[in-house]
C-alpha cells in the first residue's frame, strides 16, 4: 500500500455534551504529505483526539473539507468509510487493551484484524509474523502469548501491529506511549519509525514533547486550530487564513489578551509587533469603507464609532452611538447610560 496524505481546509467539528454544542475544531488548515511522521501536540481539550477521530472517519466534519487520500470524509458513505478503515487507514485507539481481543494470542489478534481486508481486487495482507516483526514482536514465544501476559510496552506494540495488519497507507495512533516507562516508550517509537520507513504515513497524538521531538514534524493544536508547527527542533507560529496568529505561552505573558498592538511591515519582509503604551491615544474608528467609484452609486454606511478617542488605561466610556455624535449621558442623574436612551 502506498503512503497516503491528508488535507484539511477550514475543518470544523462540533459535538453535543450535556445538552450543549462543543466546538472541538474551529477551522483547521493542515496538509500532511504521504510518508511523513507527524505528532499532534497540545493541552487536553485542544482538539487533538477529535482531529484524529475525524481523519479516521469516526466523526463527521460539521463544516470545511477533509480528505484522506482521495476520500472526501464529508461526502463518503458509511460503507466507504468502513472500507477505508479496513484497508487504507490503520487506527490505534488510546489504551492498548481497547484495540485487542484478550482471549486471542498476539498472532491471532493480527490475523483477526486481517479478516476485514477481503477485497475483490486481489489485495493480499502480510503474514501475521511479518506484521509483528515490523513492531519487534516476531519472537515465537511472545507471538503465542495473550495480551494479558505481555508487558505494557509489548501490548502497545501489538496494538500498533493490529492497526498495521492490512498494510495501511496511513497510521493514526492516539497516545501510543502514554503510561509507558522510558524503555517501553523508546521501543514503541522505534516501531513507529520502522512503520514510516516501510511506506506508511504516521500521525500520533501525544502530550509528551520528547515523543514529538522524535517525529519528523510537530503540529500544535490550540483552541481547535493549528497554533504552531515544529520542524527540525524549531517552533513556528502559523498564520491562519483569517490572519489569526496563536502566540506562544511565553509571549502571552508579555502580551496578555486584550493588549493593543501596532503591527508594521518592515522593509526586509518581516513584521514588527509593538504594544501601545499606557497613555497613548488610540482612535477607535470602525466602519465601512466603500470601494472605489463604480458605475452604480454606492451609499455610505455611517461609522460605528464617531471618531472619539480615549487614553489607554482609562476607564472612561466612549460617548456616542455612531449616529448622534458626542451626546451626553441620557440620564445625567441616573445610571450611566450612554447614547440613544440605553
Amino acid at each position: 500500500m502506498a503512503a497516503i496524505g491528508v488535507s484539511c481546509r477550514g475543518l470544523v467539528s462540533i459535538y453535543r455534551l450535556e445538552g450543549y454544542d462543543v466546538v472541538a475544531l474551529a477551522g483547521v488548515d493542515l496538509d500532511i504529505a504521504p510518508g511523513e511522521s507527524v505528532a499532534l501536540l497540545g493541552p487536553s481539550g485542544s482538539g487533538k483526539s477529535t482531529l484524529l477521530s475525524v481523519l479516521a472517519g469516526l466523526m463527521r466534519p460539521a463544516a470545511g473539507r477533509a480528505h484522506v487520500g482521495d476520500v472526501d470524509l464529508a461526502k463518503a458513505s458509511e460503507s466507504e468509510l468502513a472500507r477505508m478503515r479496513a484497508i487504507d487507514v490503520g487506527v490505534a485507539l488510546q489504551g492498548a487493551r481497547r484495540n485487542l481481543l484478550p482471549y486471542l494470542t498476539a498472532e491471532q489478534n493480527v490475523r483477526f484484524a486481517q479478516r476485514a481486508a477481503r477485497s475483490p481486487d486481489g489485495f493480499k495482507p502480510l503474514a501475521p509474523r511479518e506484521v509483528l516483526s515490523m513492531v519487534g514482536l516476531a519472537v515465537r514465544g511472545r507471538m503465542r502469548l495473550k495480551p494479558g501476559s505481555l508487558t505494557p510496552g509489548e501490548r502497545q506494540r501489538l496494538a500498533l501491529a493490529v492497526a498495521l495488519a492490512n498494510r495501511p497507507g496511513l497510521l493514526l495512533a492516539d497516545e501510543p506511549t502514554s503510561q509507558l516507562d522510558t524503555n517501553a516508550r523508546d521501543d514503541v517509537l522505534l516501531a513507529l519509525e520502522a512503520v514510516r520507513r516501510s511506506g506508511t504515513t504516521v500521525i500520533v497524538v501525544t502530550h509528551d514533547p520528547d515523543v514529538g521531538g522524535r517525529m519528523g514534524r510537530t503540529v500544535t493544536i490550540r483552541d481547535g486550530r493549528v497554533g504552531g508547527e515544529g520542524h527540525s527542533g524549531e517552533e513556528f507560529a502559523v498564520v491562519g487564513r483569517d490572519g489569526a496568529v496563536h502566540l506562544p505561552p511565553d509571549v502571552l505573558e508579555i502580551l496578555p489578551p486584550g493588549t493593543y498592538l501596532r503591527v508594521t511591515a518592515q522593509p526586509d519582509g518581516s513584521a514588527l509587533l509593538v504594544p501601545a503604551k499606557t497613555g497613548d491615544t488610540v482612535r477607535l474608528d470602525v466602519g465601512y469603507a466603500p470601494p472605489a467609484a463604480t458605475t452604480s452609486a454606492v451609499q455610505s454606511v455611517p461609522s460605528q464609532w464617531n471618531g472619539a478617542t480615549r487614553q489607554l488605561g482609562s476607564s472612561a466610556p466612549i460617548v456616542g452611538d455612531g449616529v448622534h455624535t458626542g451626546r451626553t449621558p441620557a440620564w445625567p442623574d441616573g445610571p450611566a447610560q450612554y447614547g440613544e436612551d440605553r
Side-chain angles (χ1 to χ4, degrees):
M1 175 69 66
I4 293 175
V6 169
S7 177
C8 302
R9 290 291 180 273
L11 178 61
V12 176
S13 179
I14 303 173
Y15 63 87
R16 297 283 292 179
L17 180 64
E18 298 180 354
Y20 294 92
D21 288 331
V22 178
V23 181
L25 300 176
V28 170
D29 294 318
L30 179 64
D31 289 299
I32 297 176
E36 273 196 284
S37 60
V38 178
L40 301 180
L41 304 175
S44 297
S46 61
K48 306 183 302 297
S49 294
T50 300
L51 177 57
L52 208 72
S53 295
V54 172
L55 296 180
L58 300 173
M59 296 177 64
R60 292 280 190 172
R65 293 178 293 166
H67 288 82
V68 172
D70 295 328
V71 179
D72 186 332
L73 299 178
K75 297 180 179 180
S77 65
E78 289 299 328
S79 61
E80 289 172 332
L81 293 176
R83 186 182 185 283
M84 179 188 77
R85 287 190 297 271
I87 299 178
D88 298 329
V89 178
V91 182
L93 302 174
Q94 184 175 358
R97 293 181 185 272
R98 297 176 62 192
N99 304 276
L100 305 174
L101 296 175
Y103 48 84
L104 298 181
T105 67
E107 186 176 7
Q108 289 169 340
N109 264 282
V110 174
R111 183 173 287 113
F112 183 84
Q114 291 176 333
R115 295 176 60 186
R118 297 171 181 169
S119 174
D121 57 7
F123 174 82
K124 184 179 180 180
L126 296 172
R129 183 175 298 183
E130 293 182 71
V131 177
L132 290 169
S133 68
M134 292 174 63
V135 297
L137 281 179
V139 179
R140 182 180 297 276
R142 312 308 287 174
M143 291 188 346
R144 295 180 178 178
L145 293 179
K146 295 179 181 179
S149 300
L150 298 174
T151 67
E154 287 174 330
R155 276 197 298 271
Q156 187 61 67
R157 283 184 283 159
L158 177 56
L160 293 177
V162 169
L164 294 167
N166 297 313
R167 296 185 294 167
L170 171 64
L171 173 64
L172 305 174
D174 194 355
E175 296 284 0
T177 61
S178 63
Q179 302 179 348
L180 298 180
D181 60 32
T182 302
N183 291 333
R185 181 201 68 182
D186 291 344
D187 288 341
V188 171
L189 291 176
L190 288 173
L192 289 173
E193 176 58 21
V195 169
R196 186 198 65 79
R197 288 198 304 268
S198 70
T200 297
T201 306
V202 177
I203 304 176
V204 302
V205 165
T206 182
H207 283 89
D208 189 345
D210 291 336
V211 173
R214 299 275 291 272
M215 308 297 282
R217 171 184 167 201
T218 62
V219 175
T220 302
I221 306 296
R222 299 191 185 102
D223 300 325
R225 291 189 175 193
V226 174
E229 290 200 18
H231 300 266
S232 303
E234 187 175 2
E235 285 291 321
F236 300 90
V238 177
V239 180
R241 289 190 301 163
D242 58 356
V245 177
H246 285 259
L247 300 179
D250 56 332
V251 178
L252 281 175
E253 294 181 3
I254 304 172
L255 304 172
T259 300
Y260 285 97
L261 293 175
R262 292 187 175 92
V263 183
T264 308
Q266 301 298 298
D268 62 358
S270 63
L272 184 65
L273 279 66
V274 180
K277 298 178 180 179
T278 301
D280 286 356
T281 299
V282 179
R283 291 191 62 84
L284 298 178
D285 292 324
V286 180
Y288 171 81
T294 59
T295 54
S296 59
V298 178
Q299 182 178 0
S300 63
V301 178
S303 171
Q304 177 67 24
W305 299 100
N306 57 20
T309 63
R310 67 174 174 187
Q311 300 293 315
L312 285 184
S314 170
S315 60
I318 296 176
V319 181
D321 61 2
V323 178
H324 304 87
T325 60
R327 288 193 57 158
T328 55
W331 303 99
D333 299 327
Q337 301 182 24
Y338 294 83
E340 190 68 6
D341 294 341
R342 53 182 180 171

